């Protein structure tokens, strides 16, 4: 017995419940496992060891399976000895061992899957005889008491719950009468808020609720698997019902408050409202970050958590700015989680019958993909996901109402799509804009690949071919996604429709603008096309500001639109004023005259001045405003000292302007090295 007492730190105690392996089988004793014979798992000594007179050597060593009690002790020790940051929380993954995640073609997994299928066929079984034990996901997740969780997890959990309605630090209220649209996000949010209200309801004696008990339940729910389910209501029940709330569910409350799901639903009324005097995007960022970190502590990733993480990145871009490190790092985590889960490599099913679950995954992938391309164009940083490695099909242009409806309604909606997957009703759904922007992002990535390449080896014909494909892609979009200036003159037209068309048009113009700059940099003859694209891009962006009452709900995007579209276009128009290339009216567009350029640049100065200096992109907007003002002063007043235009503009300028935005930096003519 001395040998057993020496190994108490490694062996399982006799009075503890028998452990099971990842495949669900009971753990064998060390002797039977070494001899590769069956063990009856009797404690403290199995029958086979008794018969062999080896009772003293019959041990049950913890090997591939971790003991829950010992894992808790390790967690406590870690928290006691280390000061943790919320972003450094290590996922517990329910069992304490991280999942391997998606394993692609170059890994060992495909080889062993092929071997397993061959073995099954040789043994007379079907190729799908059953899942490999090592990849089983049906194992039970041990439940932990709240006081067994790390201190930081407990602190964050209570802090998040205390901000909900009726609690000690309440920040928001739920308004179930506000939501008039029936997108799946709105349905899910309504169910979540009702479930939260039930949990937080006070006891009849006026006490409660017990936040520790509620937090314990949410933590244990967050550690449960999140399987794909075809039925939309059962799929939502995994995170919407009172007994199944997860930390992702609480995070969706803050996502709904800030309306971060997509561009279309951002214009719909929200079911969540701030308490008077509490409104703050910084507060939303804090609570969304806590919810994401808590969810990541209990699981490696799931589509719902990935969607919440993506929404958090959107919020960071609005709070800190699109060029900020926090936004870029968060976007990098989005891409990492997406590829870890293998959502970038979803196969095209034939025949494919969409479900809310499958379409949600496709939409999230598409949103992360096109966000990556806009970030690259804005910052000049290399992309984090390449189109050649992202083979997930486009989402279908289906209404959310159809995805949550019965099977017959969904099949009817699918049958009414055209052969390319677009709806034929002329409606703009959340999926419509996601699908269109994903398509346009592929061409933009080709442009960025050329612009940011270390070795520039491109011909003018190749660039023109890309231009042709971009024109064809944009022209192939349905008619109800094409923009026309008369849309702004129709006050009865849906604001969502107008804004969606303007965004798509701006995306197309940006790609054409960058391609034209590449053509000129590679020696193409200047035919005035760059000025045409710049003028239209500027006037279209200014239309959002001149109609800002109509687009009030989207004002938070104005700063990004200014820097991404209006500022580069303004730089080209400034150059045209300093070095005219035509007289009278422009031969390609009669609207473009010296007077119209000055008028639009004056409006741009007002738009830039509207941005607060303390705003995330306020310093960039201020620099643009100062230069454009000097160009207008020089153009209208003339040079006071007779020097060159650039010398007059550079006089008394504090420092050289340098956006470091590659092709978007059209003010490079003011740099000191020029």
């Amino acid at each position: 017995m001395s040998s057993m007492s020496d190994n108490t730190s490694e062996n399982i105690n006799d009075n503890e419940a028998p452990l099971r392996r990842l495949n669900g089988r009971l753990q064998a004793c060390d002797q039977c496992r070494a001899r590769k014979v069956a063990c009856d798992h009797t404690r403290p000594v199995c029958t086979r060891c008794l018969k062999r007179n080896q009772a003293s050597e019959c041990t049950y060593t913890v090997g591939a399976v971790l003991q829950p009690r010992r894992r808790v002790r390790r967690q406590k020790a870690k928290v006691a000895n280390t000061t943790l940051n919320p972003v450094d929380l290590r996922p517990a993954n329910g069992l304490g061992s991280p999942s391997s995640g998606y394993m692609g073609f170059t890994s060992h997994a495909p080889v062993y899957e092929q071997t397993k299928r061959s073995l099954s066929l040789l043994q007379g079984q079907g190729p799908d005889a059953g899942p490999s034990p090592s990849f089983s996901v049906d194992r039970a997740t041990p439940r932990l008491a709240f006081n067994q969780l790390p201190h930081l997890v407990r602190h964050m959990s209570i802090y998040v719950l205390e901000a909900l309605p009726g609690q000690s630090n309440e920040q928001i209220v739920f308004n179930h009468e506000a939501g008039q649209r029936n997108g799946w996000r709105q349905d899910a949010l309504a169910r979540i808020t009702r479930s939260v209200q039930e949990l937080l309801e006070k006891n009849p004696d006026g006490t409660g609720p017990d936040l520790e008990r509620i937090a314990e339940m949410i933590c244990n729910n967050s550690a449960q698997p999140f399987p794909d389910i075809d039925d939309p209501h059962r799929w939502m029940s995994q995170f919407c019902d009172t007994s199944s709330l997860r930390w992702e569910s609480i995070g969706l409350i803050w996502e709904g408050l800030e309306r971060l799901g997509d561009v279309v639903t951002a214009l719909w009324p929200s079911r969540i409202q701030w308490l008077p005097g509490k409104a703050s995007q910084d507060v939303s960022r804090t609570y969304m970050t806590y919810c994401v970190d808590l969810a990541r502590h209990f699981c490696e990733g799931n589509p719902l958590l990935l969607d919440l993480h993506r929404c958090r990145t959107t919020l960071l871009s609005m709070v800190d700015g699109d060029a900020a490190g926090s936004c870029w790092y968060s976007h990098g985590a989005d891409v990492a989680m997406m590829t870890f889960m293998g959502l970038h490599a979803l196969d095209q099913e034939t025949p494919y019958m969409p479900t809310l679950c499958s379409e949600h995954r496709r939409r999230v992938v598409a949103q992360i993909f096109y966000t990556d391309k806009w970030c690259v164009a804005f910052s000049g940083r290399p992309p984090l996901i390449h189109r050649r490695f992202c083979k997930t099909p486009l989402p279908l242009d289906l209404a959310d109402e159809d995805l949550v409806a019965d099977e017959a309604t969904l099949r009817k909606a699918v049958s009414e799509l055209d052969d390319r997957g677009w709806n034929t009703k002329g409606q703009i759904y959340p999926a419509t804009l996601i699908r269109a922007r994903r398509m346009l992002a592929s061409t933009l990535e080709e442009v960025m690949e050329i612009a940011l390449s270390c070795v520039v080896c491109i011909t003018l014909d190749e660039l023109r071919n890309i231009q042709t494909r971009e024109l064809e892609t944009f022209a192939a979009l349905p008619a109800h996604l094409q923009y026309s200036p008369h849309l702004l003159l129709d006050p009865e037209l849906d604001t969502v429709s107008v804004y969606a068309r303007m965004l798509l048009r701006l995306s197309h113009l940006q790609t054409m603008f960058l391609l034209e700059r590449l053509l000129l940099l590679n020696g193409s003859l200047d035919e005035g096309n760059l000025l045409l694209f710049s003028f239209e891009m500027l006037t279209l962006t200014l239309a959002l500001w001149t109609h800002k009452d109509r687009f009030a709900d989207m004002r938070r995007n104005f700063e990004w639109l200014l820097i991404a579209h209006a500022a580069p276009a303004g730089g080209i128009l400034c150059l045209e004023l300093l070095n005219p290339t035509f007289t009278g009216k422009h031969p390609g567009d009669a609207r473009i005259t010296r007077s119209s350029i000055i008028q639009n640049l004056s409006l741009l100065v007002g738009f830039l001045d509207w941005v607060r200096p303390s705003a995330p992109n306020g310093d960039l907007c201020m620099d643009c405003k100062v230069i454009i003002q000097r160009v207008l002063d020089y153009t209208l007043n003339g040079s006071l000292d007779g020097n060159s235009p650039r010398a007059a503009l550079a006089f008394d300028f504090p420092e050289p302007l340098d956006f470091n935005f590659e092709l978007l930096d059209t003010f490079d003519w003011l740099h000191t090295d020029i």
Side-chain angles (χ1 to χ4, degrees), residues 69-249:
R69 291 186 183 179
R70 293 183 61 227
R71 171 173 168 262
V72 171
R73 286 199 294 270
R74 287 200 300 273
Q75 288 178 331
K76 288 184 177 181
K78 182 176 181 181
V79 174
N81 298 329
T82 310
T83 301
L84 295 180
N85 186 289
V87 299
D88 296 326
L89 284 174
R90 183 176 180 180
N93 197 38
L95 290 176
S97 57
S99 168
S100 59
Y102 168 78
M103 304 294 284
F105 174 76
T106 59
S107 69
H108 70 278
V111 179
Y112 280 94
E113 285 296 325
Q114 184 179 2
T115 303
K116 184 185 72 173
R117 289 193 296 269
S118 299
L119 181 61
S120 299
L121 291 174
L122 291 174
Q123 292 176 342
Q125 302 173 354
D128 299 323
S132 173
S134 61
F135 292 94
S136 174
V137 296
D138 296 329
R139 57 184 180 269
T141 302
R143 301 181 66 87
L144 297 177
F146 189 69
N147 59 7
Q148 293 178 314
L149 295 172
H151 171 74
L152 185 58
V153 172
R154 288 183 277 125
H155 171 76
M156 292 169 60
S157 300
I158 300 301
Y159 186 79
V160 168
L161 294 179
E162 286 177 341
L164 296 176
Q167 304 311 300
S168 59
N169 188 34
E170 62 177 339
Q171 305 285 325
I172 54 179
V173 293
F174 299 152
N175 182 6
H176 293 288
E177 304 299 327
Q180 301 176 354
R181 304 298 292 268
N182 293 321
W184 80 265
R185 288 181 179 276
Q186 285 66 37
D187 289 347
L189 193 57
R191 293 174 60 176
I192 290 172
T193 52
R194 291 192 184 97
S195 298
V196 168
Q197 285 181 318
E198 291 179 11
L199 283 176
L200 298 181
E201 187 177 4
K202 292 184 179 296
N203 299 322
D205 59 358
T207 61
D210 187 349
L211 294 185
E212 289 194 1
R213 180 187 61 81
I214 296 173
E216 177 182 336
M217 181 199 72
I218 297 177
C219 288
N220 281 294
N221 289 341
S222 300
Q224 300 302 315
F226 193 85
D228 297 336
I229 301 176
D230 290 343
D231 183 85
H233 301 288
R234 287 183 55 209
W235 182 77
M236 287 194 291
S237 295
Q238 296 181 103
F239 60 93
C240 292
D241 293 347
T242 304
S243 60
S244 61
L245 286 177
R246 307 166 65 101
W247 288 119
E248 296 95 320
S249 314

Side-chain angles (χ1 to χ4, degrees), residues 626 630 647-655:
V626 170
R630 290 181 178 244
L649 290 172
F651 177 75
D652 199 29
F653 193 70
E655 59 183 14

Side-chain angles (χ1 to χ4, degrees), residues 181 268 427-428 490-499 550:
R181 304 298 292 268
W268 294 354
Q427 298 294 319
I428 296 182
D490 186 359
E492 302 299 326
L493 195 61
D494 184 22
T495 301
V496 175
S497 175
V498 178
Y499 184 72
R550 184 174 187 178

Side-chain angles (χ1 to χ4, degrees), residues 495-507:
T495 301
V496 175
S497 175
V498 178
Y499 184 72
R501 299 185 195 195
M502 295 176 74
L503 284 184
L504 292 178
R505 183 66 183 176
L506 283 172
S507 299

